[in-house]
Amino acid sequence: MIRKRLEFFFTKDFITQMKVFLKQISHYREIISFSLLLSIIANALGLIPALISGQIVDGYLSGRELANSPQIEKEILLWAGALFLAYVLSEVLNIIQNQVQLRFRTSFNHSLQDKLYKHVLHLPINFFNKTKSGELLSRFTNDINQITGLSNQLILTPINALLRLSVILAYCFYLSPWIALLILLIIGTLTILCMFLTKKTRPLQNEIYDKQAVIHGFLSEVFQGIRTVRSHAKEAEEISQHSQRHLDLNDTRLKSNLQIQGIYTLWSFMQAIAAALMLAGGSIMIIRGHMSLGELVVVQFFTAQLMNPIFNILSSISSTQGGLACLERYHKILSEELDNPPDSNRKKLDKCIEKIKIVNLNFSYLPDKPVLENISFTMQKGKTYALVGTSGSGKSTLADLICGFQKASIGNILINGIELQELNKENYIQHLAIVHQANFVFDGTIRDNILYGNTELTSSDLIELCQKAQLHDFIDSLELGLDSYIGENGIKLSGGQKQRLCLARAFAAKADLIILDEATSHLDSINERLIQKAVFENKNDLITLIIAHNLSTIKDVDQVIVLEKGEIKEIGTHEGLMKLRGLYFNMLKS
Ligand SMILES: Nc1ncnc2c1ncn2[C@@H]1O[C@H](COP(=O)(O)OP(=O)(O)OP(=O)(O)O)[C@@H](O)[C@H]1O
């Protein structure tokens, strides 16, 4: 019966999420218990002033002629001192409890952040294709903060409030069962009414969080693409859309606030009724000789104190709903399947990559829309390969599959004879170096960015790498050389300088498979040739795969693979394909 009633107020979903949360914080039970104990003692001390006031009224101010004796004044002063002490002690304990609580919350927040970050960084690239980065940021900031607050809303506030409620009710019951009954009646009505109303606030709370996340998503997109926004003079449109989204969010906030305000108003109204009833009931009981004046003082004081705990429980339920919605979203991300579990027992490569065999590979991003079909070819250590084809033919997708960033729908990629899916991805990636056309550089120095590819490099290694990537002249021209800051995503660098920096970082990785996906597209022909020379210098030690639109840059590779609409149309050496006078020949001629 109780369970049914609970499910009436809290949905099953709510209860499941609550259980998940309680399990999550079970590691912190010691610190939570300590914080709870402090809070209970502080609250108990908070009730003492009421009892002392009642004692002073009954003991010295009523029921007999007021005696003006130094002894009585001394006793009153002692009681007042005790009252002051109870206040002070209660406050001190509250301060300590706040500190303990903060410690728990920061450590809990930290562990939530770490867990989510660890998971997200190992999610398939597809996850990032479908999730806006701003929304993801919202999960790390707003959602995690809300989840952290749940400990207060679900544990400390209700337990404290229930305890206070029990003490007050017990005292009132001791004075008069009728007063206790009256209080219970008021509380019961109030609780049922507020529970109905708070239940209604949850959908709007969720809507607010969702809309905030969408706004973050758009903001981060616009900041990242500020050049595109500027170059299309879309500032006014973006501002108006942003403002529209905010108006929409404000609308939801206002609706939600209206609901909450309704609850508050109802609450104040009931509180006024309770105070009036107590005053009337208590006064009648004094007149009839069933209660003393001091006891009425205590009851009035307690009634006022009683309302807050109940209100805290109810507002906890409302904010808990928001927090649990955040927890739901948090766990939704954690339930996304990892393609690269960090602690898996998958096989590690015991030597460098010597052979990559691709067998009958098929892949599609969307059902029934194949991007790659029946791809089969082999790459060997010491050889260079080029993937060519028209735009959208699937070259970058194939490179992503070889790197393990995407999973083939059908077919295999065998690395030294081992199925790629059976390999420990972290270990496998350490054997690769990839440079994309639009590679990312971090906000830091040139040195930081190159060391990201290999932290063990010495200064002379760095100089050598920069020479290989044709970056040395540029670095020499900078006042701070390798220690120059390049700004967010290399804003202070030209497209070509950024590409050369990415090449230096890739060379630093000392990989056995290097994939250059349009990696020299921003370079002038002299630099492009020099870099190619550098790439081919160590070609005997690795597998080199070049994806290029400029076919004049790949004439010297050992094998050219020509893709067209996701299928291999031609494969062979430059000379062989030229003789064939097929697709490759036509591409080169055109
Ligand atoms: N994340 C994605 N979701 C859905 N479709 C995608 C995704 N990425 C690429 N595609 C589609 O897959 C096809 C192959 O894209 P891919 O980037 O591999 O081609 P590409 O040959 O490298 O092109 P380009 O030479 O222009 O870089 C294209 O039709 C593209 O629209």
Side-chain angles (χ1 to χ4, degrees):
M1 181 75 176
I2 292 174
R3 192 190 155 94
K4 273 207 160 158
R5 277 194 194 285
L6 271 177
E7 281 182 7
F8 178 68
F9 291 119
F10 308 105
T11 59
K12 263 187 188 160
D13 191 26
F14 183 101
I15 294 170
T16 317
Q17 286 297 325
M18 218 155 89
K19 282 186 191 159
V20 170
F21 176 74
L22 291 178
K23 196 169 164 214
Q24 208 151 11
I25 55 164
S26 59
H27 313 296
Y28 298 92
R29 42 182 178 270
E30 282 88 9
I31 191 161
I32 293 175
S33 310
F34 183 51
S35 167
L36 189 61
L37 181 72
L38 288 173
S39 160
I40 290 170
I41 301 173
N43 266 308
L45 285 170
L47 293 178
I48 290 179
L51 296 171
I52 293 179
S53 306
Q55 177 63 31
I56 292 177
V57 171
D58 277 351
Y60 307 100
L61 307 178
S62 67
R64 60 184 157 105
E65 288 226 343
L66 297 180
N68 184 9
S69 92
Q71 177 58 26
I72 286 179
E73 282 175 7
K74 199 173 150 198
E75 278 177 34
I76 289 177
L77 278 176
L78 275 174
W79 279 117
L83 185 144
F84 174 73
L85 205 67
Y87 268 127
V88 171
L89 260 176
S90 165
E91 275 315 301
V92 169
L93 284 180
N94 271 329
I95 292 169
I96 301 174
Q97 190 265 342
N98 268 336
Q99 280 302 316
V100 173
Q101 182 67 3
L102 189 68
R103 242 167 220 272
F104 154 67
R105 284 171 66 135
T106 46
S107 136
F108 183 41
N109 191 299
H110 188 176
S111 87
L112 288 171
Q113 295 273 358
D114 278 0
K115 193 169 177 186
L116 189 64
Y117 198 40
K118 187 174 171 192
H119 190 84
V120 166
L121 284 191
H122 290 94
L123 280 173
I125 295 290
N126 255 345
F127 171 82
F128 298 92
N129 290 342
K130 64 182 185 193
T131 316
K132 279 179 182 267
S133 54
E135 284 183 33
L136 202 52
L137 276 181
S138 221
R139 305 284 161 266
F140 277 92
T141 50
N142 179 49
D143 284 10
I144 288 189
N145 284 343
Q146 294 280 336
I147 298 171
T148 313
L150 275 175
S151 57
N152 260 2
Q153 294 144 13
L154 273 176
I155 303 175
L156 289 181
T157 308
I159 293 184
N160 250 318
L162 283 173
L163 279 173
R164 186 176 269 219
L165 196 67
S166 322
V167 171
I168 293 175
L169 272 177
Y171 181 79
C172 292
F173 204 82
Y174 155 76
L175 288 181
S176 152
W178 290 109
I179 288 207
L181 212 67
L182 191 65
I183 290 178
L184 269 177
L185 202 73
I186 296 168
I187 292 169
T189 324
L190 215 55
T191 309
I192 291 169
L193 269 172
C194 286
M195 271 191 157
F196 270 115
L197 290 171
T198 44
K199 192 174 178 238
K200 286 197 183 303
T201 60
R202 187 178 188 187
L204 279 183
Q205 289 285 335
N206 288 352
E207 214 177 305
I208 291 174
Y209 294 132
D210 287 345
K211 284 181 179 170
Q212 275 173 338
V214 169
I215 289 178
H216 285 165
F218 275 107
L219 279 179
S220 108
E221 203 170 73
V222 166
F223 295 148
Q224 276 174 30
I226 191 70
R227 280 167 194 273
T228 315
V229 173
R230 285 270 164 86
S231 57
H232 288 82
K234 289 280 182 187
E235 291 94 331
E237 198 176 309
E238 287 297 343
I239 292 167
S240 136
Q241 283 177 1
H242 179 70
S243 161
Q244 195 52 48
R245 278 179 217 117
H246 253 285
L247 283 177
D248 192 28
L249 172 67
N250 287 352
D251 246 18
T252 320
R253 274 191 180 139
L254 284 175
K255 275 187 214 156
S256 161
N257 196 47
L258 212 63
Q259 283 183 347
I260 292 168
Q261 216 48 50
I263 300 173
Y264 275 111
T265 312
L266 183 72
W267 189 257
S268 312
F269 180 64
M270 294 302 279
Q271 206 167 356
I273 294 181
L277 280 176
M278 279 301 156
L279 186 69
S283 306
I284 291 169
M285 286 182 75
I286 293 174
I287 294 166
R288 292 184 183 175
H290 299 310
M291 195 193 253
S292 70
L293 190 60
E295 284 166 349
L296 179 65
V297 169
V298 178
V299 168
Q300 283 287 33
F301 192 94
F302 276 4
T303 316
Q305 287 218 339
L306 188 70
M307 293 300 168
N308 280 345
I310 307 170
F311 189 70
N312 285 345
I313 296 181
L314 292 173
S315 53
S316 270
I317 293 173
S318 157
S319 35
T320 296
Q321 290 181 333
L324 287 180
C326 296
L327 187 71
E328 211 172 310
R329 282 195 291 264
Y330 178 86
H331 281 288
K332 195 161 170 255
I333 299 181
L334 286 187
S335 66
E336 292 274 348
E337 202 186 331
L338 296 178
D339 77 336
N340 182 19
D343 311 315
S344 75
N345 294 322
R346 292 186 187 177
K347 292 175 196 160
K348 290 185 178 174
L349 287 173
D350 52 4
K351 55 180 180 182
C352 66
I353 301 173
E354 289 181 343
K355 187 171 165 185
I356 299 178
K357 191 170 179 189
I358 298 171
V359 189
N360 193 25
L361 196 78
N362 287 259
F363 176 80
S364 61
Y365 289 104
L366 302 167
D368 302 327
K369 286 208 168 169
V371 171
L372 292 170
E373 286 183 282
N374 302 320
I375 305 289
S376 297
F377 65 94
T378 302
M379 295 190 285
Q380 307 259 16
K381 181 179 166 186
K383 302 267 187 234
T384 51
Y385 299 84
L387 257 183
V388 300
T390 46
S391 177
S393 55
K395 302 177 295 290
S396 298
T397 304
L398 183 53
D400 274 0
L401 281 154
I402 294 171
C403 294
F405 295 155
Q406 301 281 4
K407 205 167 155 187
S409 328
I410 307 173
N412 301 312
I413 298 177
L414 301 166
I415 313 292
N416 294 350
I418 308 168
E419 170 59 50
L420 175 54
Q421 293 308 320
E422 289 171 17
L423 281 179
N424 176 309
K425 294 265 177 70
E426 223 162 298
N427 169 262
Y428 174 58
I429 289 287
Q430 281 164 8
H431 290 260
L432 318 185
I434 313 133
V435 186
H436 294 288
Q437 184 178 8
N439 235 319
F440 189 80
V441 287
F442 297 96
D443 185 11
T445 62
I446 295 178
R447 184 191 301 275
D448 296 337
N449 271 280
I450 301 176
L451 288 177
Y452 195 75
N454 180 354
T455 47
E456 284 160 15
L457 297 173
T458 61
S459 290
S460 61
D461 290 338
L462 282 172
I463 292 165
E464 202 182 304
L465 282 171
C466 292
Q467 278 169 347
K468 198 171 161 183
Q470 302 304 313
L471 201 61
H472 55 295
D473 282 348
F474 167 63
I475 291 174
D476 286 346
S477 73
L478 299 170
E479 202 182 325
L480 295 173
L482 277 166
D483 296 311
S484 309
Y485 276 87
I486 59 169
E488 195 173 305
N489 199 14
I491 194 87
K492 295 181 188 169
L493 303 180
S494 75
Q497 286 158 351
K498 204 158 116 179
Q499 257 185 354
R500 279 176 279 164
L501 177 57
C502 293
L503 282 161
R505 186 169 66 192
F507 295 149
K510 298 205 164 61
D512 337 315
L513 166 64
I514 183 161
I515 299 178
L516 305 177
D517 185 353
E518 291 285 320
T520 52
S521 57
H522 291 307
L523 301 186
D524 56 80
S525 53
I526 299 172
N527 269 318
E528 190 169 28
R529 217 166 308 123
L530 285 169
I531 284 185
Q532 239 176 31
K533 202 172 146 244
V535 170
F536 286 171
E537 244 168 40
N538 299 336
K539 69 174 191 171
N540 290 338
D541 302 328
L542 44 94
I543 300 173
T544 311
L545 177 63
I546 300 171
I547 298 175
H549 278 295
N550 180 359
L551 301 189
S552 65
T553 61
I554 50 124
K555 282 180 184 161
D556 299 329
V557 300
D558 295 304
Q559 196 167 53
V560 180
I561 300 136
V562 186
L563 279 183
E564 174 72 0
K565 292 187 181 152
E567 287 182 63
I568 295 183
K569 296 290 183 194
E570 291 171 6
I571 187 161
T573 58
H574 166 75
E575 287 77 20
L577 294 181
M578 287 304 283
K579 274 187 205 144
L580 202 67
R581 302 180 82 80
L583 198 60
Y584 179 74
F585 175 84
N586 288 329
M587 281 166 69
L588 203 77
K589 288 291 162 211
S590 64

